[in-house]
Amino acid sequence: VVQLAIDGNQTPQFHYDLGRKLAALRDEGVLIAGSGDVVHNLRAMRRDGSNTAFDWAARFNAEVRRRIEAHDHQGIIDIAQPTDAFAADARMSIPTDEHWLPLLYVLGARGQDEDAQVFTDAIELGSVSMMGVGFGIDDAIPGVGLATPAS
């Protein structure tokens, strides 16, 4: 296990490109894992016992999943940019990017033809997405089932 430190001064493109460089390690049997959340806004989380996702969190989570499944990596890299239609949802969903950036490393390491395998997809406390996405995990983790989109 080797842990990477995230350089918060770098652009999303930098993190994705570093994942592309790490992709070669997969050919040597190295598992590349990123831990974080697609939606991670602790300030907004529901503290009243309700688990209903905020509209912005559900929209953002669904759009990220759609882009992952469509192999739209650039769309994910750029999703928080001011020109993106989901920029307002992105600002609410990822107010700080330390939980977001690991996804870019994993996407960078994704093989060209590998389909996304979403093995869990839920939003907890209204503003914390627990989406788990894998690439090439069929052989690595037998029996992993696919999750339906969060409602």
Side-chain angles (χ1 to χ4, degrees):
V1 175
V2 177
Q3 181 177 342
L4 296 177
I6 294 174
D7 185 345
N9 295 318
Q10 298 295 334
T11 66
Q13 187 69 52
F14 169 87
H15 298 286
Y16 177 81
D17 291 343
L18 184 53
R20 300 280 302 156
K21 292 174 184 172
L22 295 172
L25 295 173
R26 293 183 63 200
D27 294 334
E28 298 177 29
V30 174
L31 173 68
I32 297 174
S35 177
D37 297 303
V38 170
V39 178
H40 189 267
N41 188 331
L42 298 181
R43 291 180 196 112
M45 71 184 197
R46 296 187 188 274
R47 301 181 196 297
D48 61 0
S50 168
N51 213 25
T52 305
F54 289 103
D55 290 345
W56 51 264
R59 281 191 307 266
F60 186 75
N61 192 72
E63 182 61 15
V64 169
R65 181 175 176 158
R66 186 195 69 72
R67 292 179 190 197
I68 289 170
E69 290 173 340
H71 296 257
D72 183 6
H73 294 191
Q74 197 61 50
I76 294 169
I77 294 165
D78 295 339
I79 200 166
Q81 303 303 315
T83 58
D84 194 286
F86 285 88
D89 291 344
R91 281 190 296 276
M92 288 298 295
S93 297
I94 49 174
T96 59
D97 59 6
E98 70 275 6
H99 291 273
W100 169 255
L101 293 175
L103 174 62
L104 300 181
Y105 289 97
V106 173
L107 288 177
R110 177 185 195 178
Q112 289 292 97
D113 297 324
E114 287 183 306
D115 287 330
Q117 296 166 295
V118 178
F119 52 87
T120 185
D121 190 1
I123 297 176
E124 302 291 335
L125 304 170
S127 65
V128 181
S129 169
M130 306 306 284
M131 185 191 305
V133 181
F135 307 101
I137 61 174
D138 280 338
D139 297 327
I141 309 172
V144 171
L146 301 182
T148 56
S151 55

